[in-house]
Amino acid sequence: MSRELCPCGSKKSYQYCCGMYLTGKKHPETAEKLMRSRYTAFYQGNIDYLIATLHPDRRKSDERTELTNSINNTQWLGLTIIDTKQGKKNDAIGYVEFEAIYQVNELRQLHERSKFIKINGKWFYIDGDILPGTTPKRNAPCWCGSG
């Protein structure tokens, strides 16, 4: 997978993008990089990474089972970062608004504003607010692939 483009939509090769994080060689330096790497982990079915990057206070006893069920029934098809809010380098809170396209029987769209926290130099996903789905701008292709 080293020469393939990263599933996160960065247009970088996997090994120089999310691959560094999912293999444990490096920790994401920003909330956006953590968001992208978590998307890639969902895409690949990397449950260990998803649990490790979820804030410890947010982990449930059945987290692994829930993630396994979700991953086994979902095909992730694309990620678009809409906005990021993270102050200076030392800020401990970050937000990433994104849209992800996935399929569970039919095509669906997840539009979320995720919240992240940095603890001891490491970013964790806290939670997210689900937002209304986005509508393509005039003459822009539809997220569903219909054109």
Side-chain angles (χ1 to χ4, degrees):
M1 189 167 200
S2 62
R3 292 197 171 127
E4 293 179 27
L5 288 180
C6 192
C8 79
S10 67
K11 299 187 179 160
K12 297 177 184 175
S13 73
Y14 172 77
Q15 80 178 57
Y16 296 113
C17 191
C18 295
M20 298 184 295
Y21 310 128
L22 277 90
T23 59
K25 292 179 183 173
K26 215 175 165 188
H27 294 296
E29 304 89 1
T30 65
E32 180 180 342
K33 288 181 180 180
L34 179 59
M35 173 63 235
R36 288 182 179 279
S37 66
R38 284 180 56 83
Y39 172 85
T40 299
F42 273 105
Y43 179 89
Q44 293 177 343
N46 189 332
I47 294 168
D48 291 337
Y49 186 82
L50 292 167
I51 291 172
T53 57
L54 177 61
H55 190 280
D57 292 347
R58 299 296 180 159
R59 297 175 193 159
K60 299 177 281 192
S61 60
D62 62 346
E63 195 73 44
R64 183 169 298 279
T65 301
E66 284 188 20
L67 285 168
T68 299
N69 290 338
S70 174
I71 286 168
N72 287 340
N73 294 301
T74 307
Q75 180 182 9
W76 293 96
L77 303 171
L79 174 70
T80 303
I81 302 296
I82 297 170
D83 191 23
T84 60
K85 297 241 187 297
Q86 186 175 323
K88 297 182 174 73
K89 189 174 184 176
N90 295 327
D91 281 357
I93 300 288
Y95 297 91
V96 179
E97 182 182 346
F98 70 91
E99 173 185 273
I101 307 305
Y102 65 100
Q103 187 165 0
V104 177
N105 298 323
E106 61 185 36
L107 283 179
R108 298 181 184 180
Q109 176 191 76
L110 171 63
H111 183 196
E112 180 178 304
R113 185 172 188 254
S114 299
K115 184 177 182 181
F116 300 87
I117 189 166
K118 191 176 189 181
I119 303 169
N120 297 324
K122 195 172 173 188
W123 284 99
F124 293 92
Y125 173 75
I126 298 175
D127 60 22
D129 294 323
I130 304 298
L131 303 172
T134 60
T135 304
K137 292 184 171 52
R138 184 180 174 120
N139 298 325
C142 181
W143 61 266
C144 72
S146 68

